[in-house]
PDB file of all heavy atoms in Angstrom:
ATOM      1  N   ILE A  17     -74.617  -0.313 -53.551  1.00  0.00           N
ATOM      2  CA  ILE A  17     -74.515  -1.049 -52.297  1.00  0.00           C
ATOM      3  C   ILE A  17     -75.886  -1.675 -51.982  1.00  0.00           C
ATOM      4  O   ILE A  17     -75.975  -2.844 -51.586  1.00  0.00           O
ATOM      5  CB  ILE A  17     -74.107  -0.108 -51.135  1.00  0.00           C
ATOM      6  CG1 ILE A  17     -72.663   0.356 -51.367  1.00  0.00           C
ATOM      7  CG2 ILE A  17     -74.273  -0.791 -49.804  1.00  0.00           C
ATOM      8  CD1 ILE A  17     -72.213   1.420 -50.363  1.00  0.00           C
ATOM      9  N   LEU A  18     -76.960  -0.968 -52.206  1.00  0.00           N
ATOM     10  CA  LEU A  18     -78.270  -1.473 -51.889  1.00  0.00           C
ATOM     11  C   LEU A  18     -78.708  -2.538 -52.884  1.00  0.00           C
ATOM     12  O   LEU A  18     -79.330  -3.562 -52.490  1.00  0.00           O
ATOM     13  CB  LEU A  18     -79.319  -0.355 -51.880  1.00  0.00           C
ATOM     14  CG  LEU A  18     -79.060   0.759 -50.832  1.00  0.00           C
ATOM     15  CD1 LEU A  18     -80.213   1.706 -50.836  1.00  0.00           C
ATOM     16  CD2 LEU A  18     -78.844   0.240 -49.437  1.00  0.00           C
ATOM     17  N   GLU A  19     -78.401  -2.375 -54.097  1.00  0.00           N
ATOM     18  CA  GLU A  19     -78.838  -3.357 -55.148  1.00  0.00           C
ATOM     19  C   GLU A  19     -78.023  -4.653 -54.996  1.00  0.00           C
ATOM     20  O   GLU A  19     -78.513  -5.753 -55.387  1.00  0.00           O
ATOM     21  CB  GLU A  19     -78.597  -2.797 -56.550  1.00  0.00           C
ATOM     22  CG  GLU A  19     -79.637  -1.729 -56.860  1.00  0.00           C
ATOM     23  CD  GLU A  19     -79.319  -0.960 -58.176  1.00  0.00           C
ATOM     24  OE1 GLU A  19     -78.328  -1.294 -58.824  1.00  0.00           O
ATOM     25  OE2 GLU A  19     -80.085   0.017 -58.510  1.00  0.00           O
ATOM     26  N   ASP A  20     -76.818  -4.593 -54.403  1.00  0.00           N
ATOM     27  CA  ASP A  20     -76.025  -5.807 -54.156  1.00  0.00           C
ATOM     28  C   ASP A  20     -76.763  -6.780 -53.163  1.00  0.00           C
ATOM     29  O   ASP A  20     -76.475  -7.983 -53.193  1.00  0.00           O
ATOM     30  CB  ASP A  20     -74.654  -5.467 -53.605  1.00  0.00           C
ATOM     31  CG  ASP A  20     -73.723  -5.067 -54.724  1.00  0.00           C
ATOM     32  OD1 ASP A  20     -74.026  -5.272 -55.894  1.00  0.00           O
ATOM     33  OD2 ASP A  20     -72.640  -4.494 -54.401  1.00  0.00           O
ATOM     34  N   VAL A  21     -77.630  -6.228 -52.302  1.00  0.00           N
ATOM     35  CA  VAL A  21     -78.325  -7.078 -51.358  1.00  0.00           C
ATOM     36  C   VAL A  21     -79.783  -7.285 -51.790  1.00  0.00           C
ATOM     37  O   VAL A  21     -80.663  -7.711 -50.933  1.00  0.00           O
ATOM     38  CB  VAL A  21     -78.288  -6.494 -49.919  1.00  0.00           C
ATOM     39  CG1 VAL A  21     -76.856  -6.491 -49.472  1.00  0.00           C
ATOM     40  CG2 VAL A  21     -78.864  -5.115 -49.859  1.00  0.00           C
ATOM     41  N   GLY A  22     -80.072  -7.003 -53.051  1.00  0.00           N
ATOM     42  CA  GLY A  22     -81.430  -7.310 -53.588  1.00  0.00           C
ATOM     43  C   GLY A  22     -82.454  -6.199 -53.461  1.00  0.00           C
ATOM     44  O   GLY A  22     -83.605  -6.454 -53.777  1.00  0.00           O
ATOM     45  N   LEU A  23     -82.057  -4.997 -53.076  1.00  0.00           N
ATOM     46  CA  LEU A  23     -83.045  -3.919 -52.991  1.00  0.00           C
ATOM     47  C   LEU A  23     -83.110  -3.234 -54.355  1.00  0.00           C
ATOM     48  O   LEU A  23     -82.167  -3.185 -55.120  1.00  0.00           O
ATOM     49  CB  LEU A  23     -82.614  -2.919 -51.946  1.00  0.00           C
ATOM     50  CG  LEU A  23     -82.456  -3.398 -50.494  1.00  0.00           C
ATOM     51  CD1 LEU A  23     -82.005  -2.289 -49.609  1.00  0.00           C
ATOM     52  CD2 LEU A  23     -83.754  -3.986 -50.010  1.00  0.00           C
ATOM     53  N   SER A  24     -84.289  -2.669 -54.641  1.00  0.00           N
ATOM     54  CA  SER A  24     -84.425  -1.866 -55.855  1.00  0.00           C
ATOM     55  C   SER A  24     -84.367  -0.408 -55.485  1.00  0.00           C
ATOM     56  O   SER A  24     -84.745   0.030 -54.366  1.00  0.00           O
ATOM     57  CB  SER A  24     -85.789  -2.124 -56.499  1.00  0.00           C
ATOM     58  OG  SER A  24     -86.894  -1.825 -55.629  1.00  0.00           O
ATOM     59  N   THR A  25     -83.790   0.414 -56.357  1.00  0.00           N
ATOM     60  CA  THR A  25     -83.586   1.788 -56.067  1.00  0.00           C
ATOM     61  C   THR A  25     -84.082   2.706 -57.192  1.00  0.00           C
ATOM     62  O   THR A  25     -84.223   2.266 -58.353  1.00  0.00           O
ATOM     63  CB  THR A  25     -82.089   2.079 -55.888  1.00  0.00           C
ATOM     64  OG1 THR A  25     -81.376   1.822 -57.121  1.00  0.00           O
ATOM     65  CG2 THR A  25     -81.511   1.195 -54.718  1.00  0.00           C
ATOM     66  N   ARG A  26     -84.417   3.951 -56.778  1.00  0.00           N
ATOM     67  CA  ARG A  26     -84.716   5.018 -57.737  1.00  0.00           C
ATOM     68  C   ARG A  26     -83.910   6.241 -57.293  1.00  0.00           C
ATOM     69  O   ARG A  26     -83.468   6.335 -56.146  1.00  0.00           O
ATOM     70  CB  ARG A  26     -86.188   5.396 -57.707  1.00  0.00           C
ATOM     71  CG  ARG A  26     -87.062   4.335 -58.333  1.00  0.00           C
ATOM     72  CD  ARG A  26     -88.543   4.750 -58.288  1.00  0.00           C
ATOM     73  NE  ARG A  26     -89.184   4.343 -57.053  1.00  0.00           N
ATOM     74  CZ  ARG A  26     -90.333   4.798 -56.642  1.00  0.00           C
ATOM     75  NH1 ARG A  26     -90.982   5.717 -57.324  1.00  0.00           N
ATOM     76  NH2 ARG A  26     -90.896   4.348 -55.484  1.00  0.00           N
ATOM     77  N   GLU A  27     -83.663   7.171 -58.212  1.00  0.00           N
ATOM     78  CA  GLU A  27     -82.794   8.292 -57.864  1.00  0.00           C
ATOM     79  C   GLU A  27     -83.510   9.628 -58.207  1.00  0.00           C
ATOM     80  O   GLU A  27     -84.330   9.694 -59.171  1.00  0.00           O
ATOM     81  CB  GLU A  27     -81.484   8.261 -58.634  1.00  0.00           C
ATOM     82  CG  GLU A  27     -80.662   6.999 -58.275  1.00  0.00           C
ATOM     83  CD  GLU A  27     -79.348   6.917 -59.085  1.00  0.00           C
ATOM     84  OE1 GLU A  27     -78.882   8.028 -59.561  1.00  0.00           O
ATOM     85  OE2 GLU A  27     -78.858   5.825 -59.276  1.00  0.00           O
ATOM     86  N   ALA A  28     -83.228  10.624 -57.441  1.00  0.00           N
ATOM     87  CA  ALA A  28     -83.716  11.963 -57.685  1.00  0.00           C
ATOM     88  C   ALA A  28     -82.662  12.983 -57.242  1.00  0.00           C
ATOM     89  O   ALA A  28     -81.960  12.766 -56.257  1.00  0.00           O
ATOM     90  CB  ALA A  28     -85.008  12.232 -56.872  1.00  0.00           C
ATOM     91  N   SER A  29     -82.537  14.059 -57.999  1.00  0.00           N
ATOM     92  CA  SER A  29     -81.514  15.048 -57.694  1.00  0.00           C
ATOM     93  C   SER A  29     -81.988  16.275 -56.914  1.00  0.00           C
ATOM     94  O   SER A  29     -81.213  17.073 -56.422  1.00  0.00           O
ATOM     95  CB  SER A  29     -80.890  15.552 -59.042  1.00  0.00           C
ATOM     96  OG  SER A  29     -81.894  16.155 -59.855  1.00  0.00           O
ATOM     97  N   GLY A  30     -83.335  16.427 -56.773  1.00  0.00           N
ATOM     98  CA  GLY A  30     -83.875  17.540 -56.096  1.00  0.00           C
ATOM     99  C   GLY A  30     -85.332  17.337 -55.720  1.00  0.00           C
ATOM    100  O   GLY A  30     -85.929  16.255 -55.899  1.00  0.00           O
ATOM    101  N   ARG A  31     -85.970  18.410 -55.246  1.00  0.00           N
ATOM    102  CA  ARG A  31     -87.335  18.313 -54.718  1.00  0.00           C
ATOM    103  C   ARG A  31     -88.301  17.858 -55.794  1.00  0.00           C
ATOM    104  O   ARG A  31     -89.135  16.954 -55.516  1.00  0.00           O
ATOM    105  CB  ARG A  31     -87.772  19.652 -54.161  1.00  0.00           C
ATOM    106  CG  ARG A  31     -89.201  19.593 -53.657  1.00  0.00           C
ATOM    107  CD  ARG A  31     -89.879  20.942 -53.513  1.00  0.00           C
ATOM    108  NE  ARG A  31     -91.296  20.840 -53.241  1.00  0.00           N
ATOM    109  CZ  ARG A  31     -92.174  20.569 -54.152  1.00  0.00           C
ATOM    110  NH1 ARG A  31     -91.836  20.386 -55.419  1.00  0.00           N
ATOM    111  NH2 ARG A  31     -93.467  20.403 -53.812  1.00  0.00           N
ATOM    112  N   ASP A  32     -88.323  18.474 -56.966  1.00  0.00           N
ATOM    113  CA  ASP A  32     -89.320  18.120 -57.946  1.00  0.00           C
ATOM    114  C   ASP A  32     -89.295  16.664 -58.378  1.00  0.00           C
ATOM    115  O   ASP A  32     -90.316  15.985 -58.471  1.00  0.00           O
ATOM    116  CB  ASP A  32     -89.127  19.046 -59.199  1.00  0.00           C
ATOM    117  CG  ASP A  32     -89.472  20.521 -58.939  1.00  0.00           C
ATOM    118  OD1 ASP A  32     -90.120  20.746 -57.897  1.00  0.00           O
ATOM    119  OD2 ASP A  32     -89.053  21.373 -59.725  1.00  0.00           O
ATOM    120  N   GLU A  33     -88.082  16.183 -58.616  1.00  0.00           N
ATOM    121  CA  GLU A  33     -87.948  14.735 -58.986  1.00  0.00           C
ATOM    122  C   GLU A  33     -88.395  13.859 -57.821  1.00  0.00           C
ATOM    123  O   GLU A  33     -89.022  12.832 -58.030  1.00  0.00           O
ATOM    124  CB  GLU A  33     -86.515  14.393 -59.391  1.00  0.00           C
ATOM    125  CG  GLU A  33     -86.142  14.981 -60.771  1.00  0.00           C
ATOM    126  CD  GLU A  33     -84.678  14.466 -61.125  1.00  0.00           C
ATOM    127  OE1 GLU A  33     -84.383  13.283 -60.842  1.00  0.00           O
ATOM    128  OE2 GLU A  33     -83.935  15.297 -61.611  1.00  0.00           O
ATOM    129  N   CYS A  34     -88.055  14.195 -56.587  1.00  0.00           N
ATOM    130  CA  CYS A  34     -88.354  13.425 -55.415  1.00  0.00           C
ATOM    131  C   CYS A  34     -89.890  13.360 -55.314  1.00  0.00           C
ATOM    132  O   CYS A  34     -90.415  12.252 -55.152  1.00  0.00           O
ATOM    133  CB  CYS A  34     -87.777  14.082 -54.160  1.00  0.00           C
ATOM    134  SG  CYS A  34     -88.263  13.324 -52.646  1.00  0.00           S
ATOM    135  N   MET A  35     -90.601  14.474 -55.384  1.00  0.00           N
ATOM    136  CA  MET A  35     -92.030  14.439 -55.205  1.00  0.00           C
ATOM    137  C   MET A  35     -92.735  13.738 -56.337  1.00  0.00           C
ATOM    138  O   MET A  35     -93.827  13.162 -56.140  1.00  0.00           O
ATOM    139  CB  MET A  35     -92.534  15.887 -55.046  1.00  0.00           C
ATOM    140  CG  MET A  35     -92.116  16.522 -53.749  1.00  0.00           C
ATOM    141  SD  MET A  35     -92.524  15.480 -52.313  1.00  0.00           S
ATOM    142  CE  MET A  35     -91.468  16.216 -51.082  1.00  0.00           C
ATOM    143  N   LEU A  36     -92.153  13.791 -57.527  1.00  0.00           N
ATOM    144  CA  LEU A  36     -92.789  13.070 -58.663  1.00  0.00           C
ATOM    145  C   LEU A  36     -92.756  11.599 -58.363  1.00  0.00           C
ATOM    146  O   LEU A  36     -93.782  10.884 -58.598  1.00  0.00           O
ATOM    147  CB  LEU A  36     -92.013  13.396 -59.936  1.00  0.00           C
ATOM    148  CG  LEU A  36     -92.510  12.652 -61.215  1.00  0.00           C
ATOM    149  CD1 LEU A  36     -93.997  13.104 -61.489  1.00  0.00           C
ATOM    150  CD2 LEU A  36     -91.608  12.982 -62.412  1.00  0.00           C
ATOM    151  N   HIS A  37     -91.621  11.079 -57.882  1.00  0.00           N
ATOM    152  CA  HIS A  37     -91.525   9.684 -57.523  1.00  0.00           C
ATOM    153  C   HIS A  37     -92.522   9.302 -56.436  1.00  0.00           C
ATOM    154  O   HIS A  37     -93.189   8.241 -56.497  1.00  0.00           O
ATOM    155  CB  HIS A  37     -90.095   9.301 -57.114  1.00  0.00           C
ATOM    156  CG  HIS A  37     -89.109   9.152 -58.235  1.00  0.00           C
ATOM    157  ND1 HIS A  37     -89.129   8.098 -59.071  1.00  0.00           N
ATOM    158  CD2 HIS A  37     -88.094   9.956 -58.632  1.00  0.00           C
ATOM    159  CE1 HIS A  37     -88.195   8.211 -59.978  1.00  0.00           C
ATOM    160  NE2 HIS A  37     -87.512   9.300 -59.711  1.00  0.00           N
ATOM    161  N   VAL A  38     -92.530  10.135 -55.348  1.00  0.00           N
ATOM    162  CA  VAL A  38     -93.360   9.794 -54.193  1.00  0.00           C
ATOM    163  C   VAL A  38     -94.832   9.835 -54.555  1.00  0.00           C
ATOM    164  O   VAL A  38     -95.620   8.958 -54.184  1.00  0.00           O
ATOM    165  CB  VAL A  38     -93.066  10.797 -53.029  1.00  0.00           C
ATOM    166  CG1 VAL A  38     -94.096  10.660 -51.914  1.00  0.00           C
ATOM    167  CG2 VAL A  38     -91.667  10.612 -52.529  1.00  0.00           C
ATOM    168  N   ASN A  39     -95.257  10.800 -55.370  1.00  0.00           N
ATOM    169  CA  ASN A  39     -96.655  10.918 -55.715  1.00  0.00           C
ATOM    170  C   ASN A  39     -97.124   9.868 -56.747  1.00  0.00           C
ATOM    171  O   ASN A  39     -98.279   9.498 -56.749  1.00  0.00           O
ATOM    172  CB  ASN A  39     -96.992  12.330 -56.262  1.00  0.00           C
ATOM    173  CG  ASN A  39     -96.799  13.416 -55.175  1.00  0.00           C
ATOM    174  OD1 ASN A  39     -96.983  13.133 -53.997  1.00  0.00           O
ATOM    175  ND2 ASN A  39     -96.419  14.626 -55.620  1.00  0.00           N
ATOM    176  N   THR A  40     -96.186   9.419 -57.566  1.00  0.00           N
ATOM    177  CA  THR A  40     -96.485   8.438 -58.592  1.00  0.00           C
ATOM    178  C   THR A  40     -96.602   7.026 -57.983  1.00  0.00           C
ATOM    179  O   THR A  40     -97.584   6.270 -58.193  1.00  0.00           O
ATOM    180  CB  THR A  40     -95.485   8.432 -59.706  1.00  0.00           C
ATOM    181  OG1 THR A  40     -95.497   9.747 -60.277  1.00  0.00           O
ATOM    182  CG2 THR A  40     -95.883   7.430 -60.787  1.00  0.00           C
ATOM    183  N   SER A  41     -95.542   6.698 -57.254  1.00  0.00           N
ATOM    184  CA  SER A  41     -95.495   5.353 -56.610  1.00  0.00           C
ATOM    185  C   SER A  41     -94.636   5.498 -55.326  1.00  0.00           C
ATOM    186  O   SER A  41     -93.402   5.456 -55.424  1.00  0.00           O
ATOM    187  CB  SER A  41     -94.853   4.361 -57.575  1.00  0.00           C
ATOM    188  OG  SER A  41     -94.771   3.063 -56.932  1.00  0.00           O
ATOM    189  N   PRO A  42     -95.288   5.613 -54.177  1.00  0.00           N
ATOM    190  CA  PRO A  42     -94.524   5.867 -52.945  1.00  0.00           C
ATOM    191  C   PRO A  42     -93.526   4.751 -52.653  1.00  0.00           C
ATOM    192  O   PRO A  42     -93.837   3.549 -52.702  1.00  0.00           O
ATOM    193  CB  PRO A  42     -95.630   5.902 -51.815  1.00  0.00           C
ATOM    194  CG  PRO A  42     -96.880   6.191 -52.560  1.00  0.00           C
ATOM    195  CD  PRO A  42     -96.722   5.581 -53.924  1.00  0.00           C
ATOM    196  N   PRO A  43     -92.239   5.152 -52.349  1.00  0.00           N
ATOM    197  CA  PRO A  43     -91.203   4.112 -52.006  1.00  0.00           C
ATOM    198  C   PRO A  43     -91.416   3.602 -50.585  1.00  0.00           C
ATOM    199  O   PRO A  43     -92.128   4.192 -49.785  1.00  0.00           O
ATOM    200  CB  PRO A  43     -89.903   4.897 -52.220  1.00  0.00           C
ATOM    201  CG  PRO A  43     -90.301   6.321 -51.851  1.00  0.00           C
ATOM    202  CD  PRO A  43     -91.735   6.505 -52.317  1.00  0.00           C
ATOM    203  N   ALA A  44     -90.700   2.527 -50.280  1.00  0.00           N
ATOM    204  CA  ALA A  44     -90.696   2.021 -48.897  1.00  0.00           C
ATOM    205  C   ALA A  44     -89.826   2.901 -47.996  1.00  0.00           C
ATOM    206  O   ALA A  44     -89.999   2.958 -46.774  1.00  0.00           O
ATOM    207  CB  ALA A  44     -90.265   0.602 -48.861  1.00  0.00           C
ATOM    208  N   LEU A  45     -88.840   3.584 -48.594  1.00  0.00           N
ATOM    209  CA  LEU A  45     -87.810   4.343 -47.841  1.00  0.00           C
ATOM    210  C   LEU A  45     -87.258   5.451 -48.703  1.00  0.00           C
ATOM    211  O   LEU A  45     -87.085   5.289 -49.933  1.00  0.00           O
ATOM    212  CB  LEU A  45     -86.734   3.387 -47.369  1.00  0.00           C
ATOM    213  CG  LEU A  45     -85.436   4.077 -46.746  1.00  0.00           C
ATOM    214  CD1 LEU A  45     -85.779   4.728 -45.452  1.00  0.00           C
ATOM    215  CD2 LEU A  45     -84.354   3.024 -46.549  1.00  0.00           C
ATOM    216  N   VAL A  46     -86.962   6.605 -48.074  1.00  0.00           N
ATOM    217  CA  VAL A  46     -86.262   7.727 -48.748  1.00  0.00           C
ATOM    218  C   VAL A  46     -84.940   7.984 -48.046  1.00  0.00           C
ATOM    219  O   VAL A  46     -84.901   8.112 -46.798  1.00  0.00           O
ATOM    220  CB  VAL A  46     -87.102   8.986 -48.782  1.00  0.00           C
ATOM    221  CG1 VAL A  46     -86.273  10.181 -49.375  1.00  0.00           C
ATOM    222  CG2 VAL A  46     -88.416   8.813 -49.587  1.00  0.00           C
ATOM    223  N   ILE A  47     -83.866   7.945 -48.800  1.00  0.00           N
ATOM    224  CA  ILE A  47     -82.559   8.342 -48.305  1.00  0.00           C
ATOM    225  C   ILE A  47     -82.313   9.729 -48.801  1.00  0.00           C
ATOM    226  O   ILE A  47     -82.204   9.966 -50.032  1.00  0.00           O
ATOM    227  CB  ILE A  47     -81.442   7.393 -48.671  1.00  0.00           C
ATOM    228  CG1 ILE A  47     -81.704   6.010 -48.046  1.00  0.00           C
ATOM    229  CG2 ILE A  47     -80.068   7.932 -48.219  1.00  0.00           C
ATOM    230  CD1 ILE A  47     -80.662   4.972 -48.391  1.00  0.00           C
ATOM    231  N   LEU A  48     -82.177  10.735 -47.942  1.00  0.00           N
ATOM    232  CA  LEU A  48     -82.192  12.153 -48.330  1.00  0.00           C
ATOM    233  C   LEU A  48     -80.963  12.934 -47.842  1.00  0.00           C
ATOM    234  O   LEU A  48     -80.646  12.897 -46.657  1.00  0.00           O
ATOM    235  CB  LEU A  48     -83.453  12.766 -47.812  1.00  0.00           C
ATOM    236  CG  LEU A  48     -83.646  14.299 -47.900  1.00  0.00           C
ATOM    237  CD1 LEU A  48     -83.771  14.693 -49.398  1.00  0.00           C
ATOM    238  CD2 LEU A  48     -84.861  14.770 -47.128  1.00  0.00           C
ATOM    239  N   ASP A  49     -80.313  13.595 -48.773  1.00  0.00           N
ATOM    240  CA  ASP A  49     -79.189  14.505 -48.418  1.00  0.00           C
ATOM    241  C   ASP A  49     -79.791  15.871 -48.032  1.00  0.00           C
ATOM    242  O   ASP A  49     -80.595  16.426 -48.758  1.00  0.00           O
ATOM    243  CB  ASP A  49     -78.234  14.679 -49.630  1.00  0.00           C
ATOM    244  CG  ASP A  49     -77.015  15.505 -49.259  1.00  0.00           C
ATOM    245  OD1 ASP A  49     -76.890  15.915 -48.063  1.00  0.00           O
ATOM    246  OD2 ASP A  49     -76.200  15.769 -50.131  1.00  0.00           O
ATOM    247  N   LEU A  50     -79.456  16.292 -46.795  1.00  0.00           N
ATOM    248  CA  LEU A  50     -80.026  17.594 -46.347  1.00  0.00           C
ATOM    249  C   LEU A  50     -79.494  18.774 -47.112  1.00  0.00           C
ATOM    250  O   LEU A  50     -80.170  19.766 -47.279  1.00  0.00           O
ATOM    251  CB  LEU A  50     -79.721  17.786 -44.840  1.00  0.00           C
ATOM    252  CG  LEU A  50     -80.669  17.110 -43.853  1.00  0.00           C
ATOM    253  CD1 LEU A  50     -80.207  17.498 -42.413  1.00  0.00           C
ATOM    254  CD2 LEU A  50     -82.078  17.498 -44.071  1.00  0.00           C
ATOM    255  N   TRP A  51     -78.270  18.650 -47.632  1.00  0.00           N
ATOM    256  CA  TRP A  51     -77.603  19.781 -48.229  1.00  0.00           C
ATOM    257  C   TRP A  51     -77.572  19.585 -49.770  1.00  0.00           C
ATOM    258  O   TRP A  51     -76.771  18.903 -50.302  1.00  0.00           O
ATOM    259  CB  TRP A  51     -76.189  20.060 -47.758  1.00  0.00           C
ATOM    260  CG  TRP A  51     -76.266  20.306 -46.232  1.00  0.00           C
ATOM    261  CD1 TRP A  51     -76.053  19.394 -45.213  1.00  0.00           C
ATOM    262  CD2 TRP A  51     -76.452  21.524 -45.619  1.00  0.00           C
ATOM    263  NE1 TRP A  51     -76.140  19.989 -44.037  1.00  0.00           N
ATOM    264  CE2 TRP A  51     -76.389  21.328 -44.251  1.00  0.00           C
ATOM    265  CE3 TRP A  51     -76.703  22.836 -46.063  1.00  0.00           C
ATOM    266  CZ2 TRP A  51     -76.573  22.356 -43.307  1.00  0.00           C
ATOM    267  CZ3 TRP A  51     -76.907  23.856 -45.178  1.00  0.00           C
ATOM    268  CH2 TRP A  51     -76.819  23.655 -43.770  1.00  0.00           C
ATOM    269  N   LEU A  52     -78.589  20.173 -50.446  1.00  0.00           N
ATOM    270  CA  LEU A  52     -78.686  20.006 -51.878  1.00  0.00           C
ATOM    271  C   LEU A  52     -78.225  21.302 -52.597  1.00  0.00           C
ATOM    272  O   LEU A  52     -78.475  22.384 -52.045  1.00  0.00           O
ATOM    273  CB  LEU A  52     -80.121  19.678 -52.297  1.00  0.00           C
ATOM    274  CG  LEU A  52     -80.674  18.389 -51.702  1.00  0.00           C
ATOM    275  CD1 LEU A  52     -82.176  18.258 -52.093  1.00  0.00           C
ATOM    276  CD2 LEU A  52     -79.947  17.173 -52.207  1.00  0.00           C
ATOM    277  N   ALA A  53     -77.568  21.168 -53.734  1.00  0.00           N
ATOM    278  CA  ALA A  53     -77.099  22.329 -54.475  1.00  0.00           C
ATOM    279  C   ALA A  53     -78.295  23.140 -54.974  1.00  0.00           C
ATOM    280  O   ALA A  53     -79.349  22.650 -55.253  1.00  0.00           O
ATOM    281  CB  ALA A  53     -76.246  21.897 -55.637  1.00  0.00           C
ATOM    282  N   GLY A  54     -78.101  24.450 -55.061  1.00  0.00           N
ATOM    283  CA  GLY A  54     -79.164  25.342 -55.482  1.00  0.00           C
ATOM    284  C   GLY A  54     -79.312  26.548 -54.674  1.00  0.00           C
ATOM    285  O   GLY A  54     -78.502  26.746 -53.690  1.00  0.00           O
ATOM    286  N   GLU A  55     -80.281  27.426 -54.990  1.00  0.00           N
ATOM    287  CA  GLU A  55     -80.415  28.684 -54.244  1.00  0.00           C
ATOM    288  C   GLU A  55     -80.859  28.413 -52.843  1.00  0.00           C
ATOM    289  O   GLU A  55     -80.460  29.109 -51.905  1.00  0.00           O
ATOM    290  CB  GLU A  55     -81.449  29.560 -54.995  1.00  0.00           C
ATOM    291  CG  GLU A  55     -81.026  29.977 -56.373  1.00  0.00           C
ATOM    292  CD  GLU A  55     -82.060  30.904 -57.041  1.00  0.00           C
ATOM    293  OE1 GLU A  55     -83.016  31.174 -56.390  1.00  0.00           O
ATOM    294  OE2 GLU A  55     -81.804  31.292 -58.214  1.00  0.00           O
TER     295      GLU A  55
END
């Protein structure tokens, strides 16, 4: 949906991937699911 309007996206499945993206190259926006699978 976002790429259809010209936005670029990245994906992460959990905290470690999310923080790797943020610390490497901070995005303009994070869309975050509060309920993630795991312990």
Side-chain angles (χ1 to χ4, degrees):
I17 293 173
L18 299 185
E19 288 171 2
D20 280 345
V21 295
L23 301 178
S24 61
T25 63
R26 289 181 273 166
E27 299 179 23
S29 60
R31 178 200 171 280
D32 291 343
E33 286 185 42
C34 172
M35 291 306 161
L36 180 62
H37 281 288
V38 171
N39 294 332
T40 302
S41 178
L45 169 67
V46 174
I47 296 179
L48 172 66
D49 186 2
L50 276 184
W51 300 95
L52 300 174
E55 296 181 1

